[in-house]
């Protein structure tokens, strides 16, 4: 069964998981300018993309939330690999 992987917060901001605070801040500001609904009034999806950008920054800019998110992301990736292995074995 094919699944669609939801992009990670890192993917949304276009940064590696090893990115530091300054890189994170710059990526957030760039994404916020790109997706801001006030700058893109004709784009119906701008508000949803801005909300996702804000959520990504809120999680990744807080050290404890980021650590928890990274743990969840590793677990998701491991689960996906295990499901792929089961599917390949059938």
């Amino acid at each position: 069964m094919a699944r669609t992987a939801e992009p990670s917060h890192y993917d949304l901001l276009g940064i590696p998981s090893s990115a530091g605070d300054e890189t994170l801040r710059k990526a957030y500001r760039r994404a916020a300018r790109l997706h801001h609904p006030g700058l893109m009034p004709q784009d119906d999806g701008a508000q949803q993309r801005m909300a996702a950008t804000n959520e990504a920054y809120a999680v990744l800019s807080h050290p404890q939330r980021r650590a928890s998110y990274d743990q969840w992301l590793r677990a998701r990736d491991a689960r996906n690999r295990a499901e792929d292995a089961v599917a390949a074995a059938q």
Side-chain angles (χ1 to χ4, degrees), residues 35-46:
H35 302 302
H36 196 282
L39 300 176
M40 313 256 322
Q42 70 282 6
D43 188 353
D44 294 334

Side-chain angles (χ1 to χ4, degrees), residues 4-80:
T4 57
E6 218 176 286
S8 72
H9 291 333
Y10 296 107
D11 295 335
L12 288 173
L13 295 176
I15 58 172
S17 59
S18 60
D21 291 340
E22 187 62 28
T23 302
L24 173 62
R25 189 173 12 265
K26 286 179 182 180
Y28 168 71
R29 289 180 179 171
R30 182 176 50 250
R33 279 192 310 270
L34 183 63
H35 302 302
H36 196 282
L39 300 176
M40 313 256 322
Q42 70 282 6
D43 188 353
D44 294 334
Q47 189 169 2
Q48 288 82 13
R49 288 191 304 277
M50 188 67 197
T53 299
N54 286 336
E55 179 185 350
Y57 184 71
V59 170
L60 298 179
S61 64
H62 189 278
Q64 292 159 331
R65 289 182 193 160
R66 185 173 185 169
S68 178
Y69 178 75
D70 288 345
Q71 182 179 7
W72 175 83
L73 203 57
R74 286 190 299 273
R76 182 187 77 169
D77 292 343
R79 183 176 57 248
N80 289 344

